[in-house]
Amino acid sequence: MSWIVYAVLGIAVICALGHFDVQLSGRVLGVFLIAEVFILLLMGAAVLRGGGPDGLMPHTLDPADSLTAVGGGSAAIGMFFAFWSWVGFETTAVHGEEYRNPTRIIPRATLIVVIAFGALYTFVSWAAVAGNGAAVAVAISGGTTGNPFDLFLGITRSYVGVWAEDVYLVLTVTGSFACALAFHNSASRYLYAIGREGLQRALTPLGTTHDRHRSPYVSSLLQSAVTLLITLYFYLFQAPTEMAPDVPYYYEFGLLAIMGTMGILIVQTITSIAVVWYFHVRGNHPETRFWWRTLLAPLAGAVGMGWVVYLLFSNLEFAAGAVADSPVYTLTPYLVTGTGVLGVVVALVLRTVSPPAYQRIGSTVLAESHERG
């Protein structure tokens, strides 16, 4: 079947899950996540037991080995993809309205996610390189031999077994679905927050919840409609060829990944700067005892993410690769920066026209459940 059949089917299932209680989506995501982590750890443990052709290669874990060449080209894009793999950790805050005690749960959940997955990503990435050996890892990653999936599939098959490779392939599909579901839930909550805060009467329906399931079903439905329209655009106007019928899929996946990651990194850079501004420039609740979390950490985050955004802008054509001939690629910097500028203009107008509405921005997310009730 054409990829569009799977795409529309996936959108429909995600739309249905978004209509119900968030706990249902949470259970689906939890099952997929645990299964994915298990198969990756199984592969890593098998490599750890005896090492690969070049042994365990512990020197690959030394950051100094790679930081000398991240100024441009493939190394710069590698940094971008490394940051891309972290997109989504902020959803602990996005779902703040649905926690009983968000001020306690959000910081703890965020730190657990960052530390746990930081360790997991590092371990699995190292195991993939060590399991393949230096020469094979470079050849596969550079496209000289095989395809990028072989970096993991080959060693999963040889170190664990053929059955594990089959499971890995299935989990690649379910994992992609889980990512789409997680992003859908996050985007729906952003839309819900806009409606919840009553910034504009026309947007108020976005802030309503289902009487029975308590889900932001209107926002979820709107998000599904937007996703469907974008997908249909690529299917209808990014014309496939007879030799490559799935070309529109690669265009949609590649270009939207770049656009979305660019946007979220800019947002997180601004957020990091805002933390420093709030605590240390404006002097709100200064924490002299915990200065590292309100000054050092956000400064490091702002510099790191800002630098990766600069690298992406500088190597945008390289990052897009074969899909750089799309009009969406050409418009990407303008769409991202234009959206940001539009947000600033709307905020400034709102601050002038309706100061109470401006003050409500973000206020409901960290409110305790009894206050929201």
Side-chain angles (χ1 to χ4, degrees):
M1 293 189 294
S2 169
W3 70 276
I4 191 65
V5 177
Y6 297 104
V8 172
L9 180 62
I11 292 170
V13 174
I14 289 171
C15 180
L17 287 172
H19 179 79
F20 294 101
D21 191 303
V22 70
Q23 291 186 17
L24 177 60
S25 295
R27 292 189 187 102
V28 173
L29 290 170
V31 170
F32 290 152
L33 177 64
I34 291 169
E36 292 161 23
V37 170
F38 174 75
I39 202 71
L40 289 171
L41 288 177
L42 199 63
M43 178 273 290
V47 172
L48 189 63
R49 196 165 56 236
D54 302 316
L56 291 176
M57 300 177 64
H59 64 277
T60 58
L61 293 171
D62 183 3
D65 250 16
S66 54
L67 285 177
T68 55
V70 292
S74 58
I77 301 307
M79 289 293 293
F80 163 70
F81 281 115
F83 275 72
W84 178 20
S85 69
W86 282 100
V87 169
F89 84 93
E90 74 285 347
T91 54
T92 51
V94 173
H95 289 80
E97 293 233 25
E98 291 156 274
Y99 302 145
R100 292 189 184 89
N101 188 356
T103 52
R104 177 175 175 269
I105 291 176
I106 290 175
R108 293 188 179 189
T110 306
L111 282 174
I112 290 171
V113 168
V114 169
I115 294 170
F117 280 91
L120 177 70
Y121 288 159
T122 302
F123 174 69
V124 171
S125 300
W126 161 80
V129 174
N132 284 285
V136 174
V138 171
I140 294 175
S141 301
T144 307
T145 178
N147 69 73
F149 272 110
D150 291 337
L151 194 67
F152 291 90
L153 289 177
I155 56 176
T156 300
R157 179 175 60 251
S158 57
Y159 284 88
V160 185
V162 176
W163 68 269
E165 181 188 18
D166 294 337
V167 172
Y168 194 111
L169 287 168
V170 172
L171 290 175
T172 301
V173 177
T174 59
S176 298
F177 174 82
C179 282
L181 176 59
F183 287 137
H184 171 88
N185 286 339
S186 296
S188 299
R189 269 62 186 181
Y190 279 115
L191 294 171
Y192 171 68
I194 291 173
R196 179 82 157 75
E197 289 163 354
L199 304 183
Q200 187 63 249
R201 185 178 296 275
L203 300 175
T204 302
L206 294 176
T208 57
T209 55
H210 194 277
D211 290 340
R212 179 181 175 187
H213 305 300
R214 309 307 299 165
S215 61
Y217 71 106
V218 177
S219 296
S220 177
L221 189 61
L222 176 61
Q223 173 59 26
S224 297
V226 170
T227 305
L228 180 62
L229 289 175
I230 291 173
T231 301
L232 290 177
Y233 163 80
F234 279 95
Y235 176 70
L236 295 172
F237 298 105
Q238 201 67 67
T241 63
E242 189 175 335
M243 295 295 292
D246 293 335
V247 160
Y249 163 75
Y250 295 111
Y251 275 80
E252 179 173 9
F253 179 81
L255 292 172
L256 294 189
I258 291 172
M259 186 186 301
T261 307
M262 183 188 296
I264 201 69
L265 285 180
I266 292 173
V267 167
Q268 290 175 357
T269 302
I270 295 171
T271 302
S272 298
I273 295 170
V275 172
V276 178
W277 184 271
Y278 178 82
F279 285 103
H280 296 279
V281 177
R282 297 186 63 178
N284 293 305
H285 313 292
E287 291 188 318
T288 53
R289 183 181 174 189
F290 300 109
W291 59 273
W292 56 271
R293 71 181 185 185
T294 58
L295 180 62
L296 182 60
L299 273 180
V303 171
M305 288 182 289
W307 180 50
V308 171
V309 170
Y310 165 75
L311 291 178
L312 178 59
F313 269 102
S314 304
N315 299 275
L316 194 57
E317 187 172 358
F318 186 92
V323 300
D325 62 346
S326 170
V328 178
Y329 160 78
T330 306
L331 291 172
T332 291
Y334 305 101
L335 288 172
V336 172
T337 55
T339 302
V341 170
L342 177 64
V344 171
V345 170
V346 169
L348 292 176
V349 170
L350 193 64
R351 187 172 67 176
T352 303
V353 175
S354 180
Y358 178 80
Q359 290 298 324
R360 284 198 301 271
I361 296 176
S363 60
T364 58
V365 175
L366 289 177
E368 303 299 347
S369 57
H370 66 277
E371 295 173 350
R372 295 197 301 271

